[in-house]
Amino acid sequence: MKKLLAILHCLPMVMVASFPISEKPKIKTKTYHTVVAENNLKKPIFKHKNVFKFFLFSAIAGLIMAFYGILSPSWSDISIGIFGGFLFIASIFGMALNYLLKRINKKLSY
């Protein structure tokens, strides 16, 4: 009987000792950076910003050329004004096309 009581007395100590209590539970969180690191994805290059800047500067240059051709007292400068007007209009169309392509790419990526 004493042996049975001794075994029953020591049994809870053995059960508690078999489970580690000191380790903290690890919480797994998935962030964008961990997903990119796991999948080896690269960040896409945003090309539309640079294309927009190019068309913006060419539109400004075309507008300046058009005003120069209009305001110049010489009749020989009218060709510069016409070329500047065509450059301005082509650049505006280029910016609009760039904007539409950017919108289409956004919709396709979702």
Side-chain angles (χ1 to χ4, degrees):
M1 185 72 167
K2 286 184 181 181
K3 288 183 183 182
L4 183 62
L5 287 175
I7 292 173
L8 290 177
H9 180 70
C10 293
L11 188 61
M13 287 184 215
V14 173
M15 289 174 57
V16 170
S18 65
F19 298 107
I21 329 172
S22 62
E23 292 183 21
K24 294 181 180 178
K26 295 180 181 177
I27 301 171
K28 294 182 179 181
T29 56
K30 273 198 169 183
T31 61
Y32 173 74
H33 299 291
T34 58
V35 172
V36 169
E38 288 173 359
N39 297 333
N40 291 330
L41 298 175
K42 293 183 179 179
K43 198 173 188 181
I45 299 170
F46 188 60
K47 299 176 188 174
H48 298 287
K49 185 177 178 182
N50 297 331
V51 172
F52 177 76
K53 285 180 185 178
F54 170 75
F55 281 125
L56 181 66
F57 289 130
S58 64
I60 291 171
L63 197 61
I64 290 171
M65 289 171 65
F67 280 135
Y68 173 75
I70 292 170
L71 299 175
S72 177
S74 174
W75 283 98
S76 63
D77 291 336
I78 194 72
S79 62
I80 295 173
I82 293 171
F83 177 71
F86 284 131
L87 182 64
F88 175 73
I89 291 171
S91 298
I92 295 298
F93 282 132
M95 282 192 288
L97 183 66
N98 182 43
Y99 175 74
L100 291 175
L101 288 175
K102 182 173 75 169
R103 294 287 299 227
I104 290 170
N105 285 341
K106 266 189 184 178
K107 286 185 180 184
L108 291 178
S109 66
Y110 290 124

